[in-house]
Amino acid sequence: MAEFTFELNDDQREVRDWLHGFAADVMRPAAAEWDEREETPWPIIQEAAKLGIYSLDFYAQQFFDPTGLGVPMTMEELFWGDAGIALSIVGTGLAAVGVLANGTEEQIGTWVPQMYGDANDVKVAAFCSSEPDAGSDVASMRTRAVYDEAKDEWVLNGTKTWATNGGIANVHVVVAVVDPELGSKGHASFIVPPHTPGLSQGQKFQKHGIRASHTAEVVLEDVRIPGSCLLGGKDKLDERLARAREKAKAGGGERVKNAAMATFEASRPAVGAMAVGTARAAYEVALDYAKTRVQFGRPIIENQGVAFQLADMATQIDAARLMVWRASWMATAGKPFTKAEGSMSKLYASEVAKTVTAQAIQILGGNGYTREYPVERMHRDAAIYTIFEGTSEIQRMVISRALGK
C-alpha cells in the first residue's frame, strides 16, 4: 500500500505534462467548434488513440496506480482542456468500470478491449442505467431482464435515457431488473454485444453544456444476449438474490450490493476531478484577464473586490482537489468510506465548479457572457457535475446517512 502524499512522483508528473500538452494543443483549439456542432469529435478521439491516451492500456495504468492519483490527475487535465471533448474521450470509462466492478476476469478480458477498439478503428462504449422514470430513484427502474433457461439467453426490454454514447457505442452495459420484488437489490448488469438485434438509439438530447459528448436514449426491444453476458455470472447472481430475499424476510439487515451503485461508488471521485479541471480552467482565464484588463488606470486585479474573488476561487479549487485525492487514495488503499468521502469529494468539487465558473464570468463582465471567451462554455459545462452520477442532493443524502450510522 502506497503512503498518501501530496507530491506527484516523476512518472506521474510526466504523464500529467503529456496530458496537459494534448489538452492545450489539440482539445482547446477545437473546443468551440465541437460545442457548436454538438457532435462526437471522432477525429480528436482518434488522435487521442494514436497517442495512446484513448486506450485500455493507458486507463488500466492509471486505474491501477498504487497511489490512487492516476485517474483524478488524468481527469483534471483532460477536463481542463474541454469538458465536452473530454467526456467523449473518457465516457467509455464508465462502462469499463461497470465491467471491472461487476464482471469476471474472462468478461473483463473479452469486453473491455472491444469498448475502445484501436487507433485505426476507434470504438466507444455506453453505461445505461438511468430511465425516464428512474434517475436518482433506481428502485423505480423498469427495464426487465428475463432468463430463457432453454436457450441460456437473457431477454431485455425497456428504455434507458441520459446514456453517454448511447446508441453509437460498440458495447453497451445495461442495468436491468431481474427480480422486481427486491427493488434496487433485484438489479443486475448485462453486456449487450455489438450489432445485437433489438437495441436502437432513441432521442439524442440537445444539451445546455458538454455538447461535444453524445447523450441519447437507448431502446431495448426483445434484445437477446447469451447467458455469459450477465456480469458476474448466474451463480453469483442467484446467490446474491437468495441473500437479498432472506434479508427481506428478516426485515432488513446486511446491505446487499447493487450493480449500478457499485459503478457509481467507484467513479464519484473521478467526476469530482472532472469538476476540478473545469473550475481550474475558468479560474486561470479569469486570473489572466484580471491581470491584463485595465480599468480606472490599473489592472482590475488590484481592486480588492476582484482580488478577493480570485483568492476564494483558488482556495476552493485546491480544497476540492485535496478531497478528490483523499477519496481516490482511500479507494485504492482499500479504506472504507465511513463518512461517504467519495460522495463528499464529488459533492464539493461539483458545487465549486458551478461557483467558480460563475465568478469567472462576473470577473470578465460583458466579455465573459459572450462566446468569444471560453468561460461562458465552461459555466454551461459545469452545470452537469451537480446532476450526473448522483445529484448534489443525493450526495448529501448518502453523506448524512453515513454520518448517522
Side-chain angles (χ1 to χ4, degrees):
M1 181 191 303
E3 292 186 4
F4 183 73
T5 175
F6 297 124
E7 293 292 333
L8 300 179
N9 60 40
D10 290 342
D11 290 340
Q12 290 169 327
R13 282 194 291 269
E14 183 177 347
V15 171
R16 180 198 61 191
D17 294 345
W18 173 54
L19 291 168
H20 188 81
F22 176 79
D25 299 338
V26 179
M27 296 173 65
R28 282 207 165 178
E33 175 190 351
W34 289 101
D35 178 72
E36 291 288 343
R37 291 175 64 169
E38 298 192 52
E39 297 174 359
T40 300
W42 290 107
I44 299 179
I45 298 175
Q46 187 166 33
E47 183 67 20
K50 288 178 179 177
L51 294 173
I53 294 172
Y54 185 77
S55 71
L56 172 60
D57 288 344
F58 174 71
Y59 286 106
Q61 289 173 14
Q62 305 317 308
F63 187 82
F64 292 111
D65 180 337
T67 69
L69 302 185
V71 169
M73 177 188 68
T74 296
M75 296 300 174
E76 180 177 339
E77 292 305 323
L78 292 178
F79 280 75
W80 172 90
D82 177 68
I85 294 175
L87 193 57
S88 289
I89 293 173
V90 307
T92 293
L94 184 58
V97 168
V99 177
L100 291 167
N102 301 296
T104 65
E105 290 187 9
E106 182 179 357
Q107 289 169 332
I108 292 169
T110 299
W111 296 111
V112 176
Q114 294 187 49
M115 294 179 174
Y116 289 93
D118 57 47
N120 297 317
D121 185 21
V122 293
K123 305 292 186 183
V124 295
F127 183 76
C128 307
S129 178
S130 294
E131 297 183 2
D133 296 319
S136 299
D137 182 12
V138 295
S140 297
M141 191 176 293
R142 296 180 180 177
T143 297
R144 296 289 187 264
V146 178
Y147 184 58
D148 184 341
E149 189 170 359
K151 295 183 178 180
D152 186 25
E153 291 180 339
W154 288 90
V155 185
L156 275 60
N157 282 282
T159 299
K160 294 296 180 178
T161 194
W162 309 121
T164 299
N165 298 328
I168 66 171
N170 194 46
V171 176
H172 290 77
V173 178
V174 176
V175 181
V177 178
V178 294
D179 189 333
E181 294 182 1
L182 292 176
S184 62
K185 297 179 178 65
H187 297 176
S189 292
F190 300 85
I191 291 285
V192 180
H195 313 300
T196 299
L199 184 148
S200 62
Q201 178 183 309
Q203 176 186 3
K204 178 187 174 183
F205 295 104
Q206 294 180 305
K207 305 187 298 295
H208 177 65
I210 55 167
R211 301 199 301 193
S213 174
H214 176 97
T215 310
E217 291 181 330
V218 174
V219 180
L220 304 143
E221 297 179 307
D222 292 328
V223 173
R224 285 185 168 268
I225 56 175
S228 60
C229 288
L230 165 64
L231 289 179
K234 194 165 187 306
D235 290 345
K236 185 176 179 181
L237 173 65
D238 289 342
E239 180 182 331
R240 177 167 63 81
L241 294 178
R243 289 202 313 272
R245 293 184 189 109
E246 287 299 318
K247 297 301 176 184
K249 289 179 182 178
E254 179 185 353
R255 179 178 180 269
V256 178
K257 179 181 175 183
N258 171 271
M261 290 302 101
T263 301
F264 292 139
E265 286 169 7
S267 62
R268 276 172 181 159
V271 176
M274 298 174 189
V276 171
T278 299
R280 189 184 113 210
Y283 160 74
E284 290 177 1
V285 173
L287 178 62
D288 289 343
Y289 186 88
K291 289 178 178 178
T292 57
R293 174 69 168 174
V294 175
Q295 291 286 279
F296 304 104
R298 60 180 181 175
I300 62 172
I301 197 171
E302 294 183 15
N303 297 319
Q304 193 177 78
V306 173
F308 280 14
Q309 283 192 73
L310 289 164
D312 286 343
M313 293 158 76
T315 301
Q316 290 167 348
I317 291 167
D318 274 10
R321 181 185 298 110
L322 291 174
M323 291 184 73
V324 166
W325 281 18
R326 178 186 68 169
S328 300
W329 173 77
M330 288 177 68
T332 299
K335 295 184 177 293
F337 290 158
T338 56
K339 293 190 293 184
E341 287 87 350
S343 288
M344 282 184 177
S345 69
K346 197 268 186 186
L347 168 65
Y348 186 73
S350 61
E351 295 290 346
V352 163
K354 286 183 66 174
T355 299
V356 166
T357 54
Q359 287 176 309
I361 290 177
Q362 192 69 25
I363 289 171
L364 269 67
N367 286 328
Y369 197 67
T370 70
R371 295 189 184 180
E372 182 179 352
Y373 288 81
V375 292
E376 176 271 341
R377 184 180 68 253
M378 294 169 182
H379 183 53
R380 287 189 284 108
D381 291 341
I384 194 60
Y385 300 127
T386 61
I387 298 172
F388 71 176
E389 294 198 48
T391 64
S392 287
E393 291 73 25
I394 289 294
Q395 306 308 323
R396 290 184 175 99
M397 182 179 71
V398 171
I399 296 165
S400 64
R401 286 180 176 175
L403 296 178
K405 287 182 179 178

